[in-house]
Amino acid sequence: MSEPPVTPAEAQPRDVYLLALPELLLFPGQFLPVVVDQPDLIRTVDAAFAETERLVAVVPRAVDPAALEAVGGDVSKLAPGPLREVGTLATIPRMRRASDGSMQLLLHGQHRLRLLDAAEGAVPVRATILPAPDQPHSNDTVEALSRSLQQTFARMAELIPQTNEELVQTVQNTDSPLEMVYLLAVTVRMEAAERYAVLAADDLEQKLRTMLKVLRRELDLLELGSKLQSEAAGEISRSQREYFLRQQLKAIRQELGESGDDGAELDELRDRLEAAALPEEALTTARRELRRLEQIPQQAAEYHVIRTYLDLILELPWNSQTADDLDLRRAQRVLDEDHWGLAKVKDRILEYLAVRKLKQDLRGPVLCFVGPPGVGKTSLGQSIARSLGRQFVRLSLGGVHDEAEIRGHRRTYIGAMPGRVIESLRRCGVRNPVFMLDEIDKVTASLHGDPSSALLEVLDPAQNNTFRDNYLDLPFDLSQVLFITTANVLQTVQPALRDRLELLEIEGYTDLEKQQIARRYLLPRQVRDHGLQGGQFELTVPALRRVIGAYTRESGVRNLERQIGSLCRKAARQVAGGKERVVVRQGDLAGLLGPETVYNEVAARTARPGVVTGLSVTATGGDVLFIEALRMPGTGQLKLTGQLGDVMRESAEAAFSFVRANATALGVAPEVMATSDFHLHVPAGGIPKDGPSAGITMATALLSALLERPVDPTVAMTGEVTLTGQVLPIGGVKEKVLAARRAGIKTVLLPARNAPEAAQLPAEVRSSVELVTVDQLPVVFQRALGVVVSGPARG
């Protein structure tokens, strides 16, 4: 977000937050990374960052060179100096908190300002400023000074081998003298007072003259150094040459007034580097960057970039890891304490522990928990971490659309940062956490790349032992990380990524399971969270059953916990008013939670011919789906509405063709089909629908409309249909049957090849819903409509 341009005529005083540090200079149009560790400044930045515009006035504090030399160049030991008059209005596009409590900012300069007043005693610190934007102009003098600057800088670049060629081209090709002088001011070594003079000068010619004076002085020093190096190159050894260069650089810095003693900081970095036990490639890279850091003045922007990169290398857990707790009994106890049921998932974790106990170098699996919201996928990851004795890291991928979020930005970009995977490992401090990638099905591709493709390397056990983040640009071993992903549906997950995941389906809960979960976990947690003591609140069993059946209709328990939380809040209010104990009975629910929100609409919807109850699976779990068919005079055409996808439309056409081909056998006169049009509609037209599992439902609706005979309202069905009338298997059997049970359905027609899944349903479900397996459409018609097909079906 950029501040809109301001002209001198529009300039009016305004109040903004103030960021003042010793000789902190930011030029308009430039980016500057800054580290803030003072509490009052951190609070000021927090306040500014919370604002929509994220504006802050960056004003330098003057530093007395003699006082700075007296304290050995340590700015932190100086008392705060006076504020300078001119600064820069900046935005804060990015902010990150470091582990030591400091704050790392990226500032973007907008335009100059003049400081009118500052309330330095208050926190956060605010100041009254007057915008003072530069007013560029052009004349012969400006043109001559600009060319002199370009020529001088080009000569300097020839004497400095490590000069960025892109920077040289930018200076040579720029059309704006103002942009050029600001670019050179942040690039070339110069005293703080000279740099401030460039910013403070109102006249463009004065800025150019100041900059030209600095460049010519620097060029003289470089030419002198080049001459000395040429003379001594053949006379001194490598070690003597390095010593000479360091002494020469030290003398140059003293001549430029940059004699701040940062040796202690560099020595500390060098000691940390040698003690870190880094891999060979990481150690080599870190040493090279440290040597570069020694050659760069602390005031240069590149200094902070390199320093941040070295901090990342030193803070990453290259070798640090936690020891796994391989006690299988304890792991089983921890998993059972936190979650009810979920036997398949618990068995898989215990199997991993057992194999890890026998094989110490086992790579971590990549599990994917698939299920509707509210079934405990995310919290299960925390329980797994607790059972293993590992740290838990959660990274939400919902809405991530930039590949750089996963792999990081290359360090050549201003404000570059590591990817979220590496950053998360840096924060947790160990290389083998339980790492949950939440909502992996919500990742979307964009112009910035496809994050799913970046996840391929992260989640592939054969590749992730040498994962390279773009920012780090070093191989990092992720093979010891236990990755767990979660998703509501798998259709939106990239096939190549899905192939790398070990899928564990977490299906919806039955009413009995919800009662157990509520009693064991939800109710105690809500009572505790609302400050109620033991014995002050009781929810009777009939009341709990009524809350589950009449106030929630879901596969998980998230809404159930909300309703229990609502009851606890109302009980807390009564207890706070003096009541010792609150007992909520079934008859109290209407007064506490309002009218019932779930009611059975199947009988009302299917009371007329042509309406059939189907079953579907969505991202939120199983649900009932009504299919409506209508016959009208026409020429035998079929119209489909309800925002149906291609697969569902083709399924409807196959069902229509079967009914039309077998009209006589089904008791329908052929002329009725020829003189009638049919309209097949799936309500909730604002929701896209697709899939083949509604095939037998649509065929039954068409036949019901033809015969003008209503379908049994207690029957629901699901199954794919073919042109020959065969009923093919479908997915999500448990979710669909549970949805039918919640809707009051007594009989569910399922494909015969789904009988094994039906047999694995909980006993309470199988005892309350009759599960009928069918393999042909005529069997469906006979069960739902009482229609007996005379003769073999045609197809």
Side-chain angles (χ1 to χ4, degrees):
M1 182 181 301
S2 298
E3 179 77 355
V6 179
T7 64
E10 298 172 336
Q12 297 293 331
R14 61 183 295 186
D15 288 340
V16 295
Y17 292 100
L18 175 65
L19 178 62
L21 288 172
E23 299 299 1
L24 174 64
L25 275 172
L26 172 64
F27 291 94
Q30 302 293 326
F31 288 87
L32 178 65
V34 176
V35 177
V36 176
D37 55 6
Q38 299 176 24
D40 56 339
L41 294 183
I42 291 176
R43 290 177 58 186
T44 300
V45 172
D46 279 334
F49 199 80
E51 299 287 341
T52 302
E53 295 179 309
R54 299 181 181 176
L55 291 176
V56 64
V58 181
V59 179
R61 291 186 181 276
V63 174
D64 183 5
L68 183 63
E69 184 176 1
V71 296
D74 189 351
V75 178
S76 62
K77 295 181 181 179
L78 291 176
L83 293 170
R84 293 192 182 273
E85 180 185 358
V86 178
T88 305
L89 188 65
T91 59
I92 310 175
R94 186 169 299 177
M95 180 267 284
R96 184 173 70 85
R97 300 182 188 278
S99 57
D100 60 358
S102 64
M103 180 182 290
Q104 297 177 359
L105 310 177
L106 180 65
L107 301 176
H108 182 197
Q110 302 297 312
H111 58 71
R112 293 193 318 153
L113 61 85
R114 292 193 181 277
L115 183 65
L116 302 180
D117 189 25
E120 296 190 69
V123 178
V125 184
R126 295 185 67 88
T128 302
I129 66 161
L130 180 66
D134 295 292
Q135 298 301 315
H137 62 277
S138 179
N139 55 39
D140 292 342
T141 303
V142 170
E143 181 66 19
L145 289 170
S146 299
R147 292 184 181 182
S148 296
L149 275 176
Q150 291 172 332
Q151 294 169 1
T152 305
F153 185 73
R155 174 59 182 154
M156 288 176 59
E158 294 174 358
L159 297 175
I160 305 176
Q162 66 270 26
T163 301
N164 189 329
E165 184 63 29
E166 185 177 348
L167 174 62
V168 177
Q169 292 298 324
T170 301
V171 172
Q172 296 300 318
N173 298 330
T174 182
D175 295 327
S176 171
L178 183 63
E179 292 180 3
M180 178 179 64
V181 75
Y182 282 162
L183 180 60
L184 291 173
V186 298
T187 304
V188 178
R189 296 194 194 108
M190 53 196 303
E191 295 181 4
E194 293 173 326
R195 189 174 281 113
Y196 174 76
V198 172
L199 177 66
D202 294 325
D203 181 55
L204 178 57
E205 292 183 17
Q206 183 60 39
K207 294 177 185 286
L208 293 169
R209 293 180 188 279
T210 302
M211 200 67 238
L212 183 59
K213 178 181 177 182
V214 172
L215 287 186
R216 286 176 173 170
R217 185 185 65 204
E218 282 292 306
L219 179 59
D220 290 341
L221 289 170
L222 288 171
E223 289 175 342
L224 175 61
S226 177
K227 179 181 178 182
L228 292 174
Q229 290 176 357
S230 299
E231 293 175 351
E235 301 177 4
I236 54 178
S237 65
R238 180 177 179 180
S239 59
Q240 290 173 323
R241 181 171 178 266
E242 182 177 349
Y243 173 78
F244 172 76
L245 290 175
R246 290 184 183 278
Q247 293 299 112
Q248 184 186 36
L249 181 61
K250 182 178 179 181
I252 292 174
R253 286 180 175 174
Q254 289 177 348
E255 182 67 23
L256 294 175
E258 299 175 354
S259 57
D261 185 15
D262 56 349
E265 180 180 357
L266 295 176
D267 290 342
E268 179 188 357
L269 276 175
R270 191 176 293 104
D271 293 341
R272 290 174 60 193
L273 192 61
E274 299 303 326
L278 300 177
E280 184 62 30
E281 185 174 350
L283 183 60
T284 301
T285 300
R287 285 173 174 169
R288 183 179 67 247
E289 293 298 319
L290 183 58
R291 286 194 295 270
R292 288 184 59 202
L293 191 68
E294 292 172 346
Q295 312 302 320
I296 299 176
Q298 198 168 13
Q299 292 82 0
E302 184 70 11
Y303 182 94
H304 299 284
V305 173
I306 298 175
R307 175 61 196 268
T308 302
Y309 179 68
L310 287 173
D311 284 339
L312 173 65
I313 293 178
L314 293 171
E315 292 173 7
L316 279 175
W318 299 93
N319 302 297
S320 175
Q321 64 182 45
T322 55
D324 285 345
D325 190 338
L326 302 178
D327 187 341
L328 299 183
R329 293 182 179 178
R330 177 188 174 278
Q332 178 77 65
R333 184 176 67 254
V334 170
L335 293 172
D336 290 340
E337 285 176 358
D338 294 343
H339 291 83
W340 173 266
L342 305 180
K344 291 183 180 179
V345 180
K346 293 178 181 178
D347 288 344
R348 180 63 184 89
I349 298 304
L350 294 175
E351 290 168 1
Y352 168 75
L353 279 177
V355 177
R356 181 64 187 268
K357 193 172 184 177
L358 300 177
K359 191 176 188 299
Q360 295 297 322
D361 59 346
L362 177 67
R363 291 184 175 181
V366 182
L367 307 178
C368 180
F369 298 155
V370 184
V375 295
K377 300 185 295 296
T378 303
S379 60
L380 185 59
Q382 296 174 324
S383 298
I384 292 173
R386 194 160 71 92
S387 66
L388 293 173
R390 294 191 182 188
Q391 294 198 33
F392 178 73
V393 176
R394 176 181 172 272
L395 177 58
S396 177
L397 298 178
V400 172
H401 57 84
D402 188 350
E403 178 189 353
E405 293 280 345
I406 306 298
R407 300 184 65 94
H409 304 81
R410 298 194 181 277
R411 284 196 296 136
T412 52
Y413 297 112
I414 295 176
M417 297 181 68
R420 294 169 70 176
V421 174
I422 289 295
E423 181 64 27
S424 297
L425 292 175
R426 172 195 200 176
R427 292 179 180 177
C428 78
V430 294
R431 62 194 289 258
N432 66 334
V434 173
F435 201 124
M436 172 162 283
L437 299 170
D438 215 0
E439 309 290 357
I440 197 173
D441 56 327
K442 308 299 188 300
V443 173
T444 56
S446 70
L447 296 175
H448 303 287
D450 187 358
S452 296
S453 300
L455 287 171
L456 294 177
E457 183 182 1
V458 175
L459 298 180
D460 191 340
Q463 302 180 39
N464 63 9
N465 61 328
T466 56
F467 172 70
R468 276 186 180 267
D469 182 273
N470 287 333
Y471 181 87
L472 181 62
D473 198 25
L474 292 170
F476 191 87
D477 186 4
L478 300 178
S479 63
Q480 299 303 312
V481 178
L482 175 55
F483 283 106
I484 298 176
T485 65
T486 70
N488 297 131
V489 294
L490 289 175
Q491 287 81 356
T492 57
V493 180
Q494 189 185 95
L497 180 59
R498 188 164 61 240
D499 183 62
R500 287 162 168 77
L501 306 177
E502 181 178 341
L503 303 179
L504 295 174
E505 293 191 8
I506 303 179
E507 298 160 329
Y509 297 116
T510 66
D511 288 353
L512 182 59
E513 289 173 333
K514 289 181 180 179
Q515 291 179 37
Q516 294 293 336
I517 293 171
R519 284 289 172 191
R520 293 171 179 262
Y521 309 107
L522 307 185
L523 191 56
R525 181 164 63 223
Q526 290 298 320
V527 168
R528 181 176 62 252
D529 290 348
H530 289 86
L532 297 170
Q533 304 298 323
Q536 289 183 330
F537 176 74
E538 179 184 352
L539 179 63
T540 64
V541 173
L544 177 58
R545 290 174 182 164
R546 196 62 181 171
V547 171
I548 294 172
Y551 289 91
T552 64
R553 177 179 285 180
E554 58 177 342
S555 299
V557 293
R558 189 165 291 156
N559 288 329
L560 175 59
E561 185 169 15
R562 291 194 186 102
Q563 297 292 351
I564 293 175
S566 179
L567 293 174
C568 288
R569 288 193 297 273
K570 297 182 185 304
R573 181 177 178 180
Q574 296 182 41
V575 171
K579 195 170 183 178
E580 294 184 359
R581 177 178 171 81
V582 177
V583 179
V584 176
R585 296 179 172 84
Q586 183 174 339
D588 303 327
L589 294 178
L592 295 173
L593 298 179
E596 296 178 357
T597 58
V598 177
Y599 56 91
N600 184 4
E601 61 176 341
V602 174
R605 295 286 290 270
T606 59
R608 54 165 293 167
V611 182
V612 185
T613 305
L615 299 171
S616 65
V617 175
T618 68
T620 58
D623 201 357
V624 294
L625 185 72
F626 296 101
I627 308 292
E628 299 177 351
L630 191 65
R631 181 171 70 91
M632 65 198 81
T635 58
Q637 302 298 314
L638 174 65
K639 182 179 181 180
L640 303 173
T641 58
Q643 212 178 153
L644 309 183
D646 291 341
V647 176
M648 199 168 185
R649 298 178 73 90
E650 292 175 358
S651 185
E653 292 170 358
F656 179 67
S657 297
F658 178 86
V659 173
R660 189 170 186 173
N662 295 275
T664 303
L666 294 171
V668 180
E671 59 271 14
V672 173
M673 295 293 298
T675 59
S676 300
D677 282 348
F678 297 88
H679 187 167
L680 196 64
H681 178 67
V682 183
I687 302 174
K689 311 167 191 71
D690 205 0
S693 64
I696 66 173
T697 314
M698 292 187 285
T700 306
L702 289 169
L703 185 59
S704 173
L706 270 169
L707 300 176
E708 296 184 356
R709 183 182 304 177
V711 177
D712 185 350
T714 65
V715 174
M717 60 191 70
T718 180
E720 181 179 355
V721 68
T722 69
L723 278 175
T724 59
Q726 297 183 52
V727 180
L728 302 184
I730 44 82
V733 172
K734 182 178 180 181
E735 296 293 343
K736 293 179 178 180
V737 174
L738 289 178
R741 184 170 182 261
R742 289 193 296 267
I745 298 296
K746 300 301 181 184
T747 303
V748 175
L749 305 185
L750 295 170
R753 285 165 62 181
N754 285 119
E757 292 99 317
Q760 295 180 1
L761 293 174
E764 62 167 309
V765 176
R766 287 185 277 110
S767 64
S768 59
V769 178
E770 181 185 5
L771 303 176
V772 179
T773 56
V774 295
D775 59 356
Q776 296 286 335
L777 261 181
V779 181
V780 177
F781 296 154
Q782 181 178 2
R783 187 66 190 232
L785 292 167
V787 175
V788 179
V789 180
S790 58
R794 296 170 58 193

